[in-house]
Amino acid sequence: MLDAARYAPNHHITEPWRFIIFESPESKQNVALLLAEMYKKKSRSQGSFKQAKYDKKIKSASKASHIVAICVKTDTKSMLMEEVCATAMAVQNMHLVATAYHVGAYWSSGGVSESTLPPGFQNAPEMAEFLSQSSPHFDGNTTVCLGWFFIGDCGDATWPAGRRRPIEEKISWA
């Protein structure tokens, strides 16, 4: 799955994606607590805290076999938008492999940004500190976390049907 990420197109062959893999129960619990506490802090300041959502963040992490921090290098010779798109394509390649092998996976953007910049372009200080302590690949000055890729076994669950509208609603021919 991770090897498939390498084949994502990227301008100047910068390969800007960086992945931090959380596999042990302790490391996944640390991610869960980070995301839950960040949610609590933000939602309480907005008056919208829900204990059930907080609990779900903790439970989701324990159900995952792996949690991957999806990060992008921002100090390359390509434009930032190109690097973000290349990283998203790398994750799409991972998602396609997961689907092919009937492995459940989803991208969550929870907690990646608290700035007024576009989501993900400036991480909250506590997230940047957590990731910097977790991996030498994360430097809060030149690397940004875009989200989290949760991976896990679907068990015997019925594979969900796609919920997409017809492509004709989104295209026009010129």
Side-chain angles (χ1 to χ4, degrees):
M1 186 184 307
L2 291 165
D3 193 52
R6 294 184 318 120
Y7 294 94
N10 57 105
H11 199 201
H12 301 294
I13 315 298
T14 58
E15 299 180 344
W17 46 83
R18 298 294 182 269
F19 303 117
I20 305 170
I21 316 297
F22 297 89
E23 180 179 33
S24 73
E26 180 184 357
S27 67
K28 292 184 299 181
Q29 185 66 20
N30 290 340
V31 171
L33 289 172
L34 170 75
L35 297 178
E37 288 300 315
M38 289 179 68
Y39 161 72
K40 182 192 283 186
K41 177 182 171 185
K42 183 175 182 178
S43 62
R44 282 199 170 152
S45 72
Q46 298 171 340
S48 61
F49 177 77
K50 292 183 175 40
Q51 186 65 44
K53 186 169 182 177
Y54 179 92
D55 294 342
K56 183 179 179 184
K57 288 184 178 295
I58 303 266
K59 187 176 180 182
S60 292
S62 68
K63 290 169 56 176
S65 65
H66 297 81
I67 301 172
V68 180
I70 303 163
C71 303
V72 61
K73 293 288 289 176
T74 60
D75 63 343
T76 68
K77 60 183 173 182
S78 291
M79 293 185 306
L80 178 60
M81 181 60 77
E82 289 178 345
E83 302 300 46
V84 169
C85 291
T87 301
M89 287 186 271
V91 175
Q92 173 67 7
N93 286 356
M94 293 166 52
H95 205 242
L96 289 170
V97 169
T99 301
Y101 286 93
H102 198 72
V103 172
Y106 68 93
W107 180 331
S108 169
S109 58
V112 297
S113 176
E114 65 174 28
S115 74
T116 56
L117 295 172
F121 291 100
Q122 181 179 347
N123 293 135
E126 58 264 46
M127 180 174 290
E129 181 180 344
F130 174 81
L131 292 171
S132 292
Q133 292 173 358
S134 300
S135 171
H137 291 297
F138 190 89
D139 166 6
N141 297 318
T142 62
T143 313
V144 176
C145 180
L146 299 174
W148 305 87
F149 197 56
F150 286 79
I151 304 166
D153 181 14
C154 292
D156 294 330
T158 303
W159 197 254
R163 297 181 307 212
R164 303 292 190 265
R165 293 190 305 271
I167 192 65
E168 291 79 14
E169 294 179 13
K170 298 162 186 64
I171 61 172
S172 60
W173 297 90

